[in-house]
Amino acid sequence: MNILFADDEKELIEPFKDLLTRRGHQVDLAFDGVRALELIRQNQYAIAFLDFSLPEVTGLEIVEEIKKTKPTLKTVMMTGYPLMKDFLVNTIGADEYLSKPFRYEEVEMILKKYF
C-alpha cells in the first residue's frame, strides 16, 4: 500500500516509515505542506497522514485540496491538540484523527479499518 506521512517533526514520523516499509508498504515522507501537495499530485496514495500545522501549507488546506481532486484518498489528521477531533473529522472532513504522540498500534488500527 502507498502511504504518505507529512509532518515537520522528522523524529516522529521517520520510525513509522521504517516499520511500515518492513511490513511491505511504500511510504513517502514530507516535512512541509508544499512537498506533501507535490507528492499527492504525483503519486497514488491509499492514505495520507497529515500534521494539522505543517509549514507553508497546513494539513487543513491539504485535506481541502484532496477532497476536491482525489476524493477517494483517505486522510488522517495528526495534532497535539486532542480537543480538535470533532473539528478535524466532522467539519473539515478528515477520515480519521490521531493525537500526538501516537503509537504504531494506532496507525495499524487505522490501516486495518480501511484496508
Side-chain angles (χ1 to χ4, degrees):
M1 172 184 335
N2 290 341
I3 301 169
L4 173 66
F5 268 91
D7 197 309
D8 58 337
E9 296 179 61
K10 293 179 183 181
E11 66 281 352
L12 175 72
I13 61 172
E14 285 177 338
F16 287 94
K17 179 178 182 173
D18 295 338
L19 286 167
L20 290 165
T21 300
R22 282 188 292 223
R23 288 187 165 77
H25 301 290
Q26 169 62 44
V27 181
D28 291 330
L29 302 180
F31 304 113
D32 63 65
V34 171
R35 180 67 178 144
L37 278 175
E38 285 175 5
L39 289 169
I40 289 166
R41 289 176 181 139
Q42 296 170 359
N43 299 289
Q44 291 294 94
Y45 294 106
I47 191 165
F49 292 81
L50 306 163
D51 181 32
F52 178 75
S53 58
L54 283 167
E56 299 182 49
V57 178
T58 68
L60 171 65
E61 293 168 311
I62 295 171
V63 169
E64 290 172 345
E65 176 72 18
I66 288 170
K67 295 302 172 189
K68 290 180 208 168
T69 61
K70 294 193 176 192
T72 60
L73 173 56
K74 298 296 182 197
T75 55
V76 180
M77 292 300 300
M78 307 179 298
T79 182
Y81 304 103
L83 298 177
M84 292 185 70
K85 180 179 181 177
D86 288 337
F87 169 73
L88 295 173
V89 174
N90 298 327
T91 304
I92 69 162
D95 296 295
E96 292 289 335
Y97 163 88
L98 280 175
S99 180
K100 293 183 192 178
F102 49 86
R103 298 180 331 274
Y104 178 77
E105 293 79 14
E106 294 172 282
V107 172
E108 190 71 27
M109 284 177 34
I110 290 171
L111 294 177
K112 285 179 182 178
K113 178 179 178 178
Y114 291 103
F115 309 102

